[in-house]
Amino acid sequence: MTGLSSIGLDVGGTFTKAALVAGSGRVLREARLPTRPEEGPAAFVGRVMELLSGWKASGARPAALGLGIAGDVDSEKGLLRFSPNLRGWEGYPFKEKLARQLALPCVLENDANAAVYGAYVVELHRRPRHVVGVTLGTGVGGGLILNGRLYVGATGSAGEVGHTRVAFPGEKCHCGARGCLEAYAGSYGLARSARRLLAARPQEGAILRRLCPDLGSLEPRHLSEAARRGDRLAREVWRGAGEKLAIGLANLVLVLNPDAILLLGGVSRAGRWLLEPVRDALAHQSFRTPFDRAVVRLARPDGGRVGAALLALELASRQGGR
Amino acid sequence: MTGLSSIGLDVGGTFTKAALVAGSGRVLREARLPTRPEEGPAAFVGRVMELLSGWKASGARPAALGLGIAGDVDSEKGLLRFSPNLRGWEGYPFKEKLARQLALPCVLENDANAAVYGAYVVELHRRPRHVVGVTLGTGVGGGLILNGRLYVGATGSAGEVGHTRVAFPGEKCHCGARGCLEAYAGSYGLARSARRLLAARPQEGAILRRLCPDLGSLEPRHLSEAARRGDRLAREVWRGAGEKLAIGLANLVLVLNPDAILLLGGVSRAGRWLLEPVRDALAHQSFRTPFDRAVVRLARPDGGRVGAALLALELASRQGGR
């Protein structure tokens, strides 16, 4: 399949990132188009078709197309069941419409699943059999590769790592519950922890305060940069998030006994400030065999469109290709 | 394969339960032999061979043999890595020895995995694709059926549900950590909770106190019987355990999105006293799709030897049978 290419789309609430991707995961060509959710899914599909006509006119011959979308995706039927950022798109038969218009095999998948699959192919060249991926962005999601294949569960909802509980009663989560991993390791949870510490300790966090004078707009990148420059309060925020992340990951290791854990997404760019407390905590578990096996790695956060393209290509190859 | 039969052994620290099992899971013949861990694994294999010679002499023609053992099992190599109840048995090549002496395909598997597989075949006739099984005994274990097959993970350690964390810092667990599900839903955790409530409320729990005057020997069956007879304190103990179990199960539903959850083992005989708080908690989760899908069921606690036999039979059928 390495000679073939595939189209991957990462559909966000504002922009959609598109790429023509080789079987190796290399991006051959890319573009960005506005999603405009308010115009509805049919108009969106029209804009995608227009972009792809242009690519085809200049010689692109994709073998498949994959869409990654944030939300509750029914990948079998190829539609969205629910998506907070794409209201009104629920139930639209994306897979069927695109497959017919393009005459190509199409795949619709949850964006976290797509990103994890992309990172699995691109980052882990030896393709271990069992990999858990956790996407750390505004929210926290996840995807599972079991026996070398994306595992989506009974309704396509598997991998909702961000809403597993790591504290009781715990902080409020965007989902309405308390104590979810996302409430600590998602970017809004990190910002909340940082603002709370800064308010409680007016003498500390000088570097962080200088980097981000308006604390209302605090982002993980400010916390990473402050930690890198030696800000102890910022490092404490990362340590706190890392410890909660480790609780969630330890539960995953005990249940799934993976070969590797991949951390993806913007928050994972914090690198060692996040990774060290995670590795520390995982090294102190009672059950050695599964914890000794599971390697924790950061993956470059490129994933969604590449993963969607590769999932589609995998489907095409299983169907005998085109 | 339904015409074939298979031998299943459930190896405990004191006794080993053996059965000749049909492909349907029906027990055709059974026996119990002392395990005698102190005599070593070779002597144990000798006693097993003796039992099976007797069965063969009276016409049994098993197609395979499966062993379920509590502990950290390397099912690929067919040996025990670690078992608290069978010290000195680590590293002994059970699978190889038995396969050679019996000239049959043999399987060695963790006892919880075997029990869950047995319950899956026997209890769920429609064989849903994805099932999570939780064994509630002295300890709490688990097993995963994914895509219709037992999933054991990278080192055969998958399904350690009992040591996922459901409280912080939480009660002490036998594994050395705190807050594990087992510390609440295992029989020692239940007895601890009950004794604590009884000590704090000398006016309550009259039925339970009558059923079990020596609180040092309190067991789940006393708590079930007291709850059935209307003892409010006993019902409160079950409710507390059920709520913790629900936290662990909710995490599993979010990650694995199963079709069904099976509860097995002695503690699960409590029936509704345990099941109602679990179902209540699962009905109040933010993410509806996976929780609406996952059915929670109690399975009869027969499983270990039946499951081990059926796993062995499945292997034999994949290898072309004998």
Side-chain angles (χ1 to χ4, degrees):
Chain A
M1 295 300 288
T2 43
L4 295 179
S5 65
S6 174
I7 304 286
L9 300 173
D10 189 359
V11 185
T14 311
F15 288 104
T16 292
K17 294 181 205 161
L20 181 70
V21 176
S24 64
R26 197 157 60 87
V27 173
L28 305 170
R29 188 163 181 172
E30 56 191 330
R32 200 165 86 149
L33 63 161
T35 304
R36 295 191 194 127
E38 68 288 358
E39 295 182 5
F44 172 76
V45 166
R47 282 196 299 285
V48 168
M49 291 303 299
E50 212 171 292
L51 173 76
L52 299 188
S53 308
W55 285 9
K56 281 193 177 174
S58 57
R61 292 289 172 269
L65 178 139
L67 249 87
I69 302 195
D72 184 10
V73 169
D74 184 331
S75 49
E76 229 163 89
K77 294 190 185 148
L79 52 82
L80 267 174
R81 279 198 212 94
F82 172 73
S83 176
N85 300 320
L86 301 167
R87 303 265 178 191
W89 287 35
E90 289 90 352
Y92 183 83
F94 281 103
K95 187 168 87 169
E96 190 193 311
K97 292 281 183 190
L98 281 161
R100 194 184 307 153
Q101 292 193 40
L102 288 165
L104 288 179
C106 287
V107 163
L108 189 73
E109 196 43 80
N110 169 274
D111 63 340
N113 282 347
V116 169
Y117 188 76
Y120 172 67
V121 173
V122 173
E123 303 271 340
L124 300 174
H125 297 287
R126 296 170 57 196
R127 301 240 190 152
R129 284 168 62 77
H130 313 303
V131 176
V132 171
V134 179
T135 59
L136 299 159
T138 307
V140 173
L144 311 177
I145 312 293
L146 304 180
N147 294 308
R149 296 272 297 274
L150 182 67
Y151 172 86
V152 302
T155 63
S157 320
E160 281 293 354
V161 175
H163 302 284
T164 61
R165 295 194 69 182
V166 298
F168 302 90
E171 299 286 348
K172 268 202 156 175
C173 178
H174 278 180
C175 77
R178 280 182 171 277
C180 300
L181 174 57
E182 176 174 306
Y184 296 89
S187 60
Y188 68 90
L190 278 161
R192 175 169 56 195
S193 306
R195 281 194 290 265
R196 196 174 294 161
L197 276 186
L198 288 165
R201 305 191 201 154
Q203 310 301 321
E204 294 182 31
I207 299 171
L208 180 58
R209 289 175 206 268
R210 213 159 44 233
L211 281 169
C212 181
D214 168 20
L215 293 178
S217 63
L218 191 72
E219 288 188 20
R221 63 189 170 88
H222 299 121
L223 285 163
S224 303
E225 182 57 23
R228 205 184 58 76
R229 294 195 196 173
D231 190 296
R232 279 202 230 158
L233 186 143
R235 289 183 187 176
E236 190 176 329
V237 171
W238 285 118
R239 177 156 287 273
E243 284 167 0
K244 295 294 192 228
L245 179 56
I247 291 168
L249 295 181
N251 286 348
L252 291 169
V253 169
L254 286 163
V255 171
L256 289 170
N257 184 202
D259 296 288
I261 295 170
L262 284 175
L263 303 180
L264 295 80
V267 170
S268 66
R269 279 185 248 199
R272 56 181 282 218
W273 310 112
L274 181 68
L275 208 50
E276 277 174 11
V278 167
R279 288 189 172 144
D280 278 1
L282 296 185
H284 290 89
Q285 299 287 325
S286 306
F287 290 75
R288 289 315 325 150
T289 308
F291 286 97
D292 287 344
R293 178 64 163 242
V295 176
V296 183
R297 283 191 47 176
L298 296 178
R300 276 159 296 176
D302 191 20
R305 57 204 181 144
V306 170
L310 294 174
L311 278 171
L313 205 53
E314 197 221 20
L315 172 75
S317 88
R318 266 188 285 142
Q319 290 183 347
R322 293 186 67 98
Chain B
M1 294 299 288
T2 43
L4 295 181
S5 65
S6 175
I7 303 285
L9 301 174
D10 190 358
V11 186
T14 310
F15 287 105
T16 292
K17 294 181 205 160
L20 181 70
V21 177
S24 64
R26 197 158 60 88
V27 173
L28 305 172
R29 187 163 183 170
E30 55 191 330
R32 201 166 87 148
L33 62 160
T35 304
R36 296 191 193 129
E38 69 287 358
E39 295 182 6
F44 171 76
V45 166
R47 281 196 300 283
V48 169
M49 291 303 299
E50 214 171 291
L51 172 76
L52 299 188
S53 307
W55 285 9
K56 281 192 178 174
S58 57
R61 292 288 172 269
L65 177 139
L67 248 89
I69 302 195
D72 184 10
V73 169
D74 184 332
S75 48
E76 228 163 89
K77 293 190 186 148
L79 53 83
L80 267 174
R81 281 198 210 92
F82 172 74
S83 176
N85 299 323
L86 302 166
R87 304 267 177 188
W89 287 34
E90 290 91 349
Y92 183 82
F94 282 102
K95 187 168 85 167
E96 191 193 309
K97 292 282 184 190
L98 281 160
R100 194 183 308 152
Q101 294 192 40
L102 288 165
L104 289 178
C106 287
V107 163
L108 188 73
E109 196 46 79
N110 170 273
D111 63 341
N113 283 346
V116 170
Y117 188 77
Y120 172 68
V121 173
V122 173
E123 304 270 340
L124 300 175
H125 297 286
R126 295 170 58 198
R127 300 241 190 152
R129 285 168 62 74
H130 312 303
V131 176
V132 171
V134 179
T135 59
L136 299 159
T138 308
V140 174
L144 310 177
I145 311 293
L146 304 179
N147 294 307
R149 296 273 297 274
L150 182 67
Y151 172 87
V152 302
T155 62
S157 319
E160 281 293 355
V161 174
H163 302 284
T164 62
R165 294 193 69 182
V166 298
F168 302 92
E171 299 286 348
K172 268 203 158 177
C173 178
H174 278 179
C175 78
R178 280 184 173 277
C180 300
L181 173 56
E182 176 174 306
Y184 296 89
S187 60
Y188 68 89
L190 277 161
R192 175 168 57 195
S193 305
R195 282 194 290 265
R196 197 175 293 161
L197 276 186
L198 288 166
R201 305 190 200 156
Q203 309 301 323
E204 295 182 31
I207 301 171
L208 181 58
R209 288 175 208 267
R210 212 158 44 233
L211 281 168
C212 182
D214 168 21
L215 293 178
S217 64
L218 191 72
E219 287 188 23
R221 63 188 170 85
H222 300 121
L223 285 163
S224 304
E225 183 56 23
R228 203 183 61 75
R229 296 196 195 172
D231 190 295
R232 278 202 231 158
L233 187 142
R235 289 183 186 177
E236 189 176 331
V237 171
W238 284 118
R239 177 156 287 273
E243 284 167 0
K244 295 293 191 229
L245 179 56
I247 292 169
L249 295 181
N251 286 347
L252 290 170
V253 169
L254 287 162
V255 171
L256 289 170
N257 184 201
D259 294 288
I261 295 171
L262 284 176
L263 302 181
L264 295 80
V267 171
S268 66
R269 279 185 247 199
R272 54 181 285 218
W273 311 111
L274 181 69
L275 207 50
E276 277 173 13
V278 166
R279 287 188 172 144
D280 278 0
L282 295 184
H284 290 89
Q285 300 286 324
S286 306
F287 290 76
R288 290 312 329 151
T289 308
F291 287 97
D292 288 343
R293 178 66 163 239
V295 176
V296 182
R297 283 190 47 174
L298 295 178
R300 276 159 296 176
D302 190 21
R305 55 202 183 147
V306 171
L310 293 174
L311 278 171
L313 205 53
E314 197 221 21
L315 173 75
S317 88
R318 266 187 286 142
Q319 290 182 347
R322 294 186 66 100

